[in-house]
Amino acid sequence: MIKTVDLTKVFRTDEVETTALNEVSMEIKPGEFVAIMGPSGCGKSTLLNILGLLDNPSKGKLIFNGQDVSKYSEKQRTGLRKSNIGFVFQSFNLIDELNVYENIELPLLYQKIPSSKRKQMVEEVMTKMNIVHRKKHFPQQLSGGQQQRVAICRAVVGNPKLILADEPTGNLDSVNGAEVMDLLSKLNQEGTNIIMVTHSPTDASRAQRIIQLFDGEIVTENTEN
């Protein structure tokens, strides 16, 4: 699914050069659920951005579905990302002016999917995620757990091969957090690859493998039993 070879990302200003990732090599196999952990500033989000085709590495290779995409242009990355990757963020990133249905429909509009097909896909995912009864509500009318449920619907409505989750339970209480992790685990069991950045050992224990980052380097990899 994904392979990185000596992946390096350097951020430069006029006075400072910061190495956020230092020769990171890893492989994510089809169907895996992988958690990425480490202290703040260790490169987790930078790695997630590159894996999600939001940014290019400074050096090294990123192989996505057998293609070397390391030097893709922004337009090429966007095209590949739209049909292959869904994102779930800590802050939900829902659009306040759109209701639940419209928020979930949004990525399908970008993919130019016909109206009747969009309606079917949105209704199916809302039913699957048990949020259809809230479809006309706006984000501010929902609890945090419900907002994250909508965000997961939006991430998976286009049937992406990969979900990238950045601290998906970070703004939730323990009950809603566990519910969100149940949803992600269920999606993984159905065949979706999930890569999750988290500070939570409890959330990470849901993954099949835990990768620990420190100062931009992989220091350990543990397989969960």
Side-chain angles (χ1 to χ4, degrees), residues 203-214:
D203 289 355
S205 69
R206 301 289 194 107
Q208 294 147 9
R209 186 155 51 105
I210 300 173
I211 295 173
Q212 292 276 356
L213 282 185
F214 188 78

Side-chain angles (χ1 to χ4, degrees), residues 93-100 102-103 137-141 147:
N93 284 16
L94 300 178
I95 297 175
D96 289 340
E97 294 78 18
L98 301 182
N99 63 29
V100 165
E102 292 164 339
N103 265 286
H137 286 67
F138 290 87
Q140 61 269 27
Q141 297 174 304
Q147 288 187 59

Side-chain angles (χ1 to χ4, degrees), residues 143-156:
S143 68
Q146 289 169 336
Q147 288 187 59
Q148 194 62 297
R149 187 180 286 267
V150 174
I152 292 173
C153 286
R154 182 185 58 191
V156 303

